[in-house]
């Protein structure tokens, strides 16, 4: 049994991304995992302001909801980052959440090349939806995920599900007309097989 924390970075309340997350969670629960979904629509998590107070042993100066999420982050075996594709990358809400990992980094006496501190390393996965469905649609998002989360923070990648062609936000969510909900269920169910 794994402890899975899903961070939902915006999107409509019953939109494509929420549905993708729900299907993933259903699969994970059916496989016996414990899950928690945090919607950043319902939380206030600001981006880092770079004051560096945290580098002088002080807690983050921003008194927003990130602090209350730290125990869940530290207890999770797997953090799933879920986001609609906004302007060809992850939503600003997810990006703000990731920036705040800065204040939970710890000193590392011998960091590997290109890393400066130690982060609470977990497994990670990426769930995304978009309107377009070209071969380049998710390129920037995947690149950011690989560089920032996997290579830099050091998370262990458990995979990604990129649901292109879910319709734009002018209309109703269209993900139920694709096979991505089924794929998300299977992804959740088999992620630790
Ligand atoms: C502000 C904004 C920016 C978007 N940018 C893109 C984009 O760059 N590429 C794309 O394919 N779809 C884009 N979309 C469409 C959404 O990614 C797509 O409809 C997504 O499935 C919406 O998720 P939701 O139903 O969970 O809200 C954008 C939508 C919005 C509202």
């Amino acid at each position: 049994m794994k402890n899975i924390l899903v961070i939902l970075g915006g999107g409509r309340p019953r939109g494509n991304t929420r549905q993708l997350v729900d299907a993933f969670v259903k699969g994970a629960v059916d496989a016996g995992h414990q899950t928690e979904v945090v919607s950043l629509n319902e939380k206030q998590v600001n981006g880092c302001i770079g004051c560096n107070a945290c580098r002088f042993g002080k807690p983050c100066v921003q008194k927003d909801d990130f602090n209350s999420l730290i125990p869940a982050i530290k207890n999770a075996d797997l953090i799933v980052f879920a986001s609609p594709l906004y302007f060809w990358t992850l939503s600003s809400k997810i990006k703000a959440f990731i920036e705040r990992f800065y204040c939970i980094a710890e000193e590392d006496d011998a960091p590997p090349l290109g890393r400066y501190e130690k982060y609470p390393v977990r497994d990670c996965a990426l769930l995304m939806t978009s309107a377009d469905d070209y071969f380049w649609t998710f390129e920037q998002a995947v690149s950011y995920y690989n560089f920032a989360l996997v290579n830099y923070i050091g998370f262990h990648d458990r995979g990604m599900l990129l649901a292109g062609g879910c319709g734009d936000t002018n209309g109703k969510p269209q993900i139920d007309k694709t096979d991505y909900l089924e794929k998300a269920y299977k992804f959740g169910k088999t992620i630790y097989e």
Side-chain angles (χ1 to χ4, degrees):
M1 194 272 285
K2 298 282 185 182
N3 201 359
I4 300 178
L5 173 65
V6 183
I7 303 295
L8 173 58
R12 294 169 289 175
R14 283 297 309 149
N16 294 317
T17 320
R18 179 79 215 200
Q19 291 183 52
L20 195 68
V21 162
D22 288 349
F24 174 90
V25 164
K26 194 168 186 310
V29 167
D30 284 356
H33 303 305
Q34 197 170 314
T35 62
E36 181 186 358
V37 179
V38 171
S39 166
L40 296 179
N41 279 345
E42 290 150 25
K43 303 273 178 201
Q44 181 66 40
V45 176
N46 305 320
C48 177
I49 56 170
C51 70
N52 263 24
C54 58
R55 293 299 179 272
F56 294 90
K58 300 205 171 76
C60 185
V61 298
Q62 301 205 66
K63 303 302 171 215
D64 61 10
D65 290 323
F66 186 78
N67 298 319
S68 67
L69 297 175
I70 294 172
I73 293 169
K74 292 193 169 170
N75 284 334
D77 298 302
L78 166 72
I79 302 182
V80 179
F81 296 85
S83 174
L85 188 75
Y86 282 172
F87 289 85
W88 310 108
T89 190
L90 296 155
S91 71
S92 57
K93 285 176 197 280
I94 281 275
K95 177 68 163 53
F97 174 82
I98 295 167
E99 286 176 18
R100 295 292 289 288
F101 272 67
Y102 194 67
C103 73
I104 52 174
E106 289 165 17
E107 234 169 89
D108 190 345
D109 295 336
L113 182 68
R115 195 177 299 160
Y116 310 98
E117 51 247 318
K118 237 190 303 198
Y119 288 88
V121 166
R122 306 281 170 266
D123 293 339
C124 69
L126 178 67
L127 297 178
M128 292 197 72
T129 69
S130 72
D132 285 355
D133 196 17
Y134 299 109
F135 71 84
W136 64 82
T137 295
F138 291 102
E139 200 165 307
Q140 289 197 61
V142 169
S143 171
Y144 180 79
Y145 172 82
N146 281 328
F147 273 90
L149 293 170
V150 180
N151 294 346
Y152 181 66
I153 292 183
F155 278 116
H156 309 298
D157 176 39
R158 303 290 306 187
M160 53 184 88
L161 184 58
L162 307 171
C166 292
D168 65 34
T169 44
N170 281 334
K172 286 195 175 137
Q174 304 281 329
I175 197 166
D176 56 335
K177 299 186 176 61
T178 73
D179 59 1
Y180 284 115
L181 296 178
E182 202 180 316
K183 285 183 173 159
Y185 176 84
K186 279 192 193 138
F187 188 26
K189 189 141 190 218
T190 60
I191 193 157
Y192 280 106
E193 264 178 12

